[in-house]
Amino acid sequence: MIINTNGFIYAADMTNQLAEELPEKLWDKPLIAELGTIRKWFMHMIRVRGVYAGSLMTGKVEFPGHLVPGDASIILELRRSTEELSWAFEETQKHRILMYQEYITPEELLHIAIQHEGIHQGQYYIAFQQAGIKLPEQWRRDWNM
């Protein structure tokens, strides 16, 4: 089974590019209380990508996953987690994965991973606009909002 991960890589790179373009001094600035800080979002994305990658090897989605060490380079971990999950999709031998109480296919998990990236990007897009934070060029170019 070969799974094309281009859509996931595109979605994940939108998050990764934000980390590369946004000054780190803004990462700990609360934007909207319900969202938490940008740093926590980045760490969340790394952790969830790891959970999904693991599930493609074990056949079971298991949260909470591994926390990102405090001294880790967030930018490097975002890139690494993108590559790891993309590789896991391409190499999985699993035909079904237990997610909560039901089985899904690796292709369905791919859609979930892409959706997960997009949901959080949309949340932060609004938060950035409300806080007057300049959006990454690709976000402005691709979304034109």
Side-chain angles (χ1 to χ4, degrees):
M1 159 183 14
I2 297 177
I3 298 177
N4 183 321
T5 60
N6 290 343
F8 166 72
I9 292 169
Y10 172 81
D13 277 347
M14 295 283 277
T15 300
N16 301 348
Q17 289 168 13
L18 178 65
E20 294 166 0
E21 292 184 28
L22 191 68
E24 192 169 347
K25 67 182 179 187
L26 296 176
W27 290 12
D28 296 310
K29 178 182 177 183
L31 302 177
I32 297 174
E34 295 82 5
L35 291 182
T37 66
I38 298 162
R39 182 180 309 277
K40 286 185 180 180
W41 171 42
F42 292 151
M43 293 173 75
H44 168 76
M45 297 309 293
I46 295 163
R47 183 177 54 82
V48 172
R49 290 173 187 173
V51 166
Y52 291 164
S55 73
L56 289 160
M57 299 302 124
T58 66
K60 183 178 181 185
V61 175
E62 296 186 84
F63 285 104
H66 301 287
L67 299 178
V68 178
D71 61 348
S73 166
I74 298 296
I75 292 171
L76 291 177
E77 286 297 306
L78 282 165
R79 289 280 173 206
R80 182 204 56 75
S81 64
T82 299
E83 292 171 11
E84 175 187 55
L85 183 50
S86 177
W87 177 87
F89 275 118
E90 293 169 357
E91 297 297 320
T92 189
Q93 298 300 309
K94 302 295 180 191
H95 296 283
R96 62 186 204 150
I97 298 159
L98 181 62
M99 184 168 194
Y100 305 112
Q101 303 302 319
E102 67 181 82
Y103 283 95
I104 61 172
T105 66
E107 291 86 355
E108 289 172 308
L109 184 63
L110 176 65
H111 296 288
I112 291 167
I114 293 169
Q115 179 188 35
H116 183 245
E117 297 282 339
I119 286 170
H120 287 306
Q121 290 167 8
Q123 291 170 325
Y124 279 90
Y125 179 91
I126 298 298
F128 295 147
Q129 285 190 320
Q130 289 180 354
I133 296 173
K134 183 180 175 188
L135 296 167
E137 177 60 31
Q138 185 171 1
W139 286 34
R140 290 191 308 270
R141 186 177 58 245
D142 289 2
W143 296 346
N144 196 25
M145 299 175 98

